[in-house]
Amino acid sequence: MAYSWQDRGVSSEPEETQPIPADADRERYGVLVDLIQKYRAAYYNDDAPLASDAEFDVLYTELETLEALHPELITNDSPTQTVGGEASVAFAAVDHLARMYSLEDVFSLEELEAWLRKAEASVQKQHGLAPKWLTELKIDGLAVNLLYRDGVLVRAATRGDGFTGEDITHNVATIKDIPQRLHGTGFPAEVEIRGEVFIASKDFAELNEKMVAAGKAPFANPRNSAAGSLRQKDPAETAKRPLSMYVHGIGAREGLETTSQSETYAQLMEWGMPTSPYFKVLDTLEEVLEFIAHYGEHRHDLIHEIDGIVVKVDDFATQRALGNTSRVPRWAVAYKYPPEEVHTKLLDIRVNVGRTGRVTPYAVMEPVKVAGSTVEMATLHNQDVVKAKGVLIGDVVVLRKAGDVIPEIVGPVVALRTGDEYEFVMPTHCPSCGTELAPAKEGDIDIRCPNAKSCPVQLTERVAHLAGRGGFDIEALGYEAAAALTNGAGPDPAEHDGVIAPSGPGVITSEAQIFQLAESYPDPALREALAGVTVWREIRAKGAGTGKFQLVPYFYTKATAKKPSVPSKTTEKLFKELDKAMSQPLWRVLVALSIRHVGPTASRALATRYGTMDAIRTALKTEDAREQLANVDGVGAIIADALIEWFAVDWHLEIVDAWAAAGVVMADAVDESTPRTLEGLTIVVTGTLPNFSRDEAKEAIITRGGKASGSVSKNTSYVVAGENAGTKLDKAESLGLKVLDEEGFARLLAEGPAVEESSTENLGE
């Protein structure tokens, strides 16, 4: 499903007079956080991006703009304060010895020049010398951290969230480039070596040729193929993929005596580690720009795909002096090349229906290869976007893509029109159920199908959503399984332009029944119903679609002369997963209900505030329900209205009641042993505390009933200041706020506001 957003300007007001965020800004902030976290998870954990680089970057920039306008909204789990994805449940989680940071991205040469000049000025001020710039290619691969002890590879892990990644040691051991034992001598007792795993362009082409020859579908692009290869459960399967690796850094390095990045590369080569041939140590900005221009022209002549250039301060002492933000190092930057563009023919514009009824047009194009992958579809967001782009069905269009999966149509090539092109007309009735379409409310651009309860596609989308990672996380219930449960197979797609259309009803007619399936699974009637479920699958020949389809059983195996039809392994797994899903925390249940605007951020806030579904429903019945809900930190008026509206619908309440009756736990366990010493207090933690990480301090505050804020204001109760506290401490002192050191913070946690303020005496001196 596509998403739309609006650009916002950045206020130039000083911090003291920044406006309190309006409900619309607060709600937009929550939406942005949820979307960006969802897109990161899809990219880093699932190897299946949901948004283009350009689309993601626009969302991320909008989030930074909102945080600049309203710093009081910033929390420690904001995407601007965190790195990458999180460890997948499919592999064991392991902690890195030293954090793996992301890189700050810039998207124009002007931004890059400004960044380099600022860094250069900072270095000259501290050291009196201009820095040397190690400049190298940004490999389009998967970041991996290798841990060697006494020269022996003992662990390999993905980056994950920067602190914790996935243990992929056995799979990495199959990569020939990576030595199991370091060569030579002089390596530390324990060292983390970091780099990118990728599939070389030539190897990727040969791999796809073999896939097609074997009658299998080719891979979409090298990056996702490499990431997927490293996440194979069987290392023997990983070993079949032509994976390579180039190392580009060191994490934990105690005992390593190299003084620069380039010297470290030479050391890594002596140890037998694979290093990139594409790097130079440069003296000036002009040389960096020449490097960028050269590889921009030759990016398709290289060993591997790239998506930009990385520039690092070469000297380690200077790197340490510049330091890091909470998310990125101040001594390195990634310049991303502009998206690539190609021409292709727009064959059709069709629409799909989302779980909230939103009807979204999308483009169907002649397949074209761009940025390393073959593209044949692109989102068009809504009818106004189609009109604004001026595209006609049959046009040759400009397609823009930057090494990702979801591309963008820029516009038509008007000079190539023949006169046979024609306008797209947005349907007036739902393509799934035939209900007349309309905006949800006056002034909305998007149109929706109002038949939420009975529309076959909306039901399928909601069931797929409730099973997703943000909901109940039911691994065996993907979109195709959801469609198979909720709808009949429909007409032959070959007679409808290859479109697989539902034809309800299915085994279940409401998401209310989803958990009753697990209870009823032994029932012969249910098993008979599941055995009769079929889906359309395209017949393929040599890895390519033939345009012909056949009906195949979905939940059961196909009967043969020797073997009867039985439940598939996936079906057996589905019912085990349904049982496990019933004990998920309350916030996941709230996400799974498909309440408009209610994503993980708002759901966590509601679960923290109320603790049980019954408490939320009770709050909704009070006279001041809207005000009470809107005042929950992270909720706001728009979400409050959405909750009230959703829970006022009878068939929605039937879903909640049915899930509860089936055994879904709708209450979070509360640790009564932790005293609520900080009830009603707002606390800001700034600087470095020896015994608390940022997340640990935030958790300690929240579990004791307080609010952990990211900005200082007159409403702040206490500021906890550690080493390098900076401007937040200055502002706290200017406002006359109570400032605590770590010892005072510990007493505050234990005793509450009766803390001795003598612990603040020496701060700020």
Side-chain angles (χ1 to χ4, degrees):
M1 183 173 179
Y3 297 87
S4 61
W5 58 88
Q6 296 177 333
D7 292 329
R8 298 178 183 270
V10 179
S11 170
S12 59
E13 293 183 85
E15 185 177 342
E16 300 85 80
T17 59
Q18 284 176 344
I20 296 173
D23 284 338
D25 280 348
R26 190 180 293 277
E27 165 57 19
R28 181 60 183 160
Y29 182 81
V31 170
L32 287 170
V33 169
D34 288 345
L35 271 182
I36 291 169
Q37 288 173 340
K38 174 182 177 181
Y39 287 175
R40 275 185 170 176
Y43 184 85
Y44 288 105
N45 299 344
D46 300 339
D47 311 317
L50 297 175
S52 70
D53 280 358
E55 184 175 353
F56 180 89
D57 292 335
V58 168
L59 292 171
Y60 194 91
T61 300
E62 185 185 352
L63 181 69
E64 288 181 317
T65 300
L66 272 179
E67 290 187 345
L69 283 167
H70 306 298
E72 62 271 32
L73 292 175
I74 302 171
T75 58
N76 288 341
D77 57 358
S78 164
T80 65
Q81 310 298 307
T82 58
V83 176
E86 58 185 22
S88 165
V89 296
F91 295 89
V94 292
D95 294 335
H96 306 307
L97 301 185
R99 182 177 179 182
M100 293 183 73
Y101 284 88
S102 183
L103 289 176
E104 181 177 349
D105 292 330
V106 296
F107 301 92
S108 70
L109 295 177
E110 292 77 12
E111 285 180 282
L112 176 65
E113 183 173 350
W115 189 97
L116 291 171
R117 292 199 185 285
K118 180 180 178 182
E120 185 176 57
S122 179
V123 172
Q124 285 184 326
K125 182 178 179 180
Q126 294 184 49
H127 300 280
L129 298 171
K132 292 184 180 295
W133 304 108
L134 186 141
T135 310
E136 58 190 358
L137 304 188
K138 189 174 186 294
I139 303 169
D140 196 13
L142 184 73
V144 170
N145 187 38
L146 307 174
L147 175 60
Y148 286 86
R149 289 197 181 112
D150 296 322
V152 177
L153 178 64
V154 295
R155 191 173 73 205
T158 62
R159 180 171 63 186
D161 64 0
F163 296 100
T164 303
E166 302 159 329
D167 189 338
I168 52 171
T169 306
H170 295 300
N171 290 352
V172 165
T174 68
I175 301 175
K176 295 178 182 178
D177 291 352
I178 301 173
Q180 300 300 300
R181 181 181 292 275
L182 296 178
H183 302 171
T185 60
F187 35 81
E190 200 169 53
V191 61
E192 286 180 313
I193 300 175
R194 291 159 176 183
E196 294 279 321
V197 170
F198 63 93
I199 294 181
S201 301
K202 178 174 177 292
D203 292 337
F204 181 73
E206 293 175 358
L207 175 64
N208 269 349
E209 288 175 6
K210 292 178 181 178
M211 296 292 288
V212 171
K216 299 178 180 179
F219 293 107
N221 59 63
R223 192 267 171 198
N224 288 348
S225 177
S229 298
L230 282 179
R231 290 193 171 100
Q232 294 290 316
K233 293 182 179 179
D234 182 0
E237 291 299 314
T238 303
K240 296 176 183 178
R241 307 286 172 82
L243 297 173
S244 299
M245 183 176 186
Y246 283 153
V247 298
H248 53 57
I250 299 281
R253 66 174 78 198
E254 186 174 352
L256 183 63
E257 296 180 354
T258 55
T259 60
S260 68
Q261 193 82 18
S262 53
E263 186 182 348
T264 300
Y265 282 7
Q267 180 65 76
L268 290 171
M269 290 176 67
E270 289 183 16
W271 290 343
M273 299 302 299
T275 56
S276 172
Y278 307 118
F279 80 92
K280 288 184 177 180
V281 178
L282 305 173
D283 294 322
T284 66
L285 169 64
E286 290 68 30
E287 289 176 334
V288 171
L289 295 178
E290 288 175 9
F291 186 96
I292 289 171
H294 172 80
Y295 284 106
E297 293 174 3
H298 298 279
R299 60 188 299 183
H300 298 299
D301 304 330
L302 307 173
I303 293 171
H304 50 72
E305 294 289 332
I306 64 171
D307 58 6
I309 300 293
V310 175
V311 185
K312 305 173 182 176
V313 172
D314 188 38
D315 178 67
F316 285 155
T318 308
Q319 288 184 11
R320 288 191 293 272
L322 290 172
N324 308 288
T325 69
S326 63
R327 188 178 61 88
V328 298
R330 293 191 177 95
W331 45 267
V333 67
Y335 166 79
K336 301 187 79 171
Y337 286 111
E340 294 187 318
E341 295 181 351
V342 295
H343 290 178
T344 188
K345 189 169 185 179
L346 178 61
L347 301 176
D348 198 4
I349 297 177
R350 300 172 184 165
V351 299
N352 60 23
V353 183
R355 63 186 171 89
T356 62
R358 181 184 176 194
V359 180
T360 305
Y362 65 95
V364 180
M365 301 165 292
E366 283 186 351
V368 60
K369 190 167 185 178
V370 54
S373 61
T374 300
V375 173
E376 53 186 317
M377 287 189 290
T379 182
L380 287 166
H381 302 291
N382 57 55
Q383 67 272 25
D384 284 8
V385 170
V386 178
K387 187 176 294 185
K389 289 183 181 294
V391 293
L392 303 176
I393 297 172
D395 267 336
V396 173
V397 295
V398 178
L399 182 72
R400 177 184 295 154
K401 188 170 177 289
D404 38 62
V405 172
I406 299 179
E408 174 194 5
I409 288 179
V410 179
V413 184
V414 177
L416 297 180
R417 282 181 174 164
T418 64
D420 294 329
E421 299 81 10
Y422 57 96
E423 287 188 15
F424 164 71
V425 178
M426 195 73 174
T428 58
H429 291 75
C430 177
S432 175
C433 66
T435 302
E436 187 173 0
L437 303 174
K441 61 179 184 293
E442 188 176 350
D444 277 4
I445 295 173
D446 297 326
I447 60 174
R448 299 177 185 272
C449 170
N451 181 26
K453 182 179 181 181
S454 304
C455 179
V457 169
Q458 287 189 63
L459 174 59
T460 297
E461 291 279 354
R462 291 198 301 270
V463 171
H465 170 76
L466 72 85
R469 282 182 180 269
F472 286 110
D473 195 17
I474 304 169
E475 187 177 336
L477 186 51
Y479 188 86
E480 190 177 30
L485 279 175
T486 55
N487 292 291
D492 187 342
E495 299 173 5
H496 296 270
D497 297 322
V499 177
I500 298 177
S503 177
V507 176
I508 62 173
T509 56
S510 167
E511 61 264 49
Q513 301 167 326
I514 191 71
F515 289 104
Q516 294 172 355
L517 289 175
E519 186 179 358
S520 304
Y521 187 45
D523 188 340
L526 175 60
R527 286 178 173 258
E528 184 178 347
L530 291 173
V533 173
T534 56
V535 295
W536 288 104
R537 293 268 173 82
E538 187 172 12
I539 300 170
R540 305 184 71 83
K542 295 185 177 180
T546 63
K548 297 179 180 179
F549 295 79
Q550 62 180 343
L551 282 172
V552 297
Y554 186 82
F555 293 105
Y556 272 56
T557 61
K558 191 173 183 179
T560 65
K562 295 183 178 180
K563 293 183 179 179
S565 179
V566 296
S568 68
K569 291 182 179 179
T570 302
T571 300
E572 298 283 4
K573 183 175 183 179
L574 168 61
F575 286 94
K576 291 179 182 177
E577 289 279 316
L578 284 170
D579 280 331
K580 286 167 53 181
M582 293 186 191
S583 58
Q584 291 283 26
L586 177 61
W587 73 265
R588 288 185 175 274
V589 180
L590 291 167
V591 171
L593 290 172
S594 285
I595 304 169
R596 193 177 176 195
H597 304 306
V598 180
T601 298
S603 295
R604 282 189 172 97
L606 289 164
T608 300
R609 169 63 180 82
Y610 292 103
T612 70
M613 183 67 74
D614 286 344
I616 293 173
R617 293 176 71 169
T618 298
L620 286 161
K621 295 174 184 176
T622 60
E623 291 184 3
D624 64 342
R626 185 178 189 273
E627 182 181 0
Q628 184 184 149
L629 290 165
N631 285 333
V632 175
D633 188 37
V635 177
I638 293 174
I639 293 177
D641 288 339
L643 285 161
I644 293 168
E645 181 182 328
W646 194 91
F647 278 92
V649 178
D650 288 343
W651 69 269
H652 289 166
L653 297 179
E654 291 171 5
I655 296 170
V656 179
D657 291 339
W659 288 0
V664 175
V665 177
M666 297 192 183
D668 289 339
V670 178
D671 184 0
E672 301 290 352
S673 65
T674 302
R676 306 283 286 182
T677 52
L678 306 184
E679 203 78 58
L681 301 181
T682 298
I683 299 169
V684 174
V685 178
T686 180
T688 303
L689 301 177
N691 297 307
F692 290 88
S693 68
R694 286 289 182 91
D695 288 340
E696 288 169 344
K698 178 183 176 183
E699 185 68 20
I701 293 165
I702 292 172
T703 56
R704 288 163 176 81
K707 175 184 176 182
S709 178
S711 61
V712 177
S713 73
K714 63 181 181 181
N715 296 319
T716 302
S717 308
Y718 293 90
V719 173
V720 179
E723 187 179 352
N724 300 318
T727 58
K728 290 181 182 178
L729 175 58
D730 295 337
K731 185 171 182 180
E733 291 174 337
S734 70
L735 292 173
L737 300 176
K738 298 172 183 176
V739 180
L740 307 175
D741 60 10
E742 184 174 8
E743 183 181 347
F745 179 47
R747 285 204 297 273
L748 178 67
L749 294 175
E751 304 168 17
V755 63
E756 294 180 16
E757 295 181 20
S758 59
S759 59
T760 69
E761 290 177 352
N762 297 321
L763 290 173
E765 293 185 2

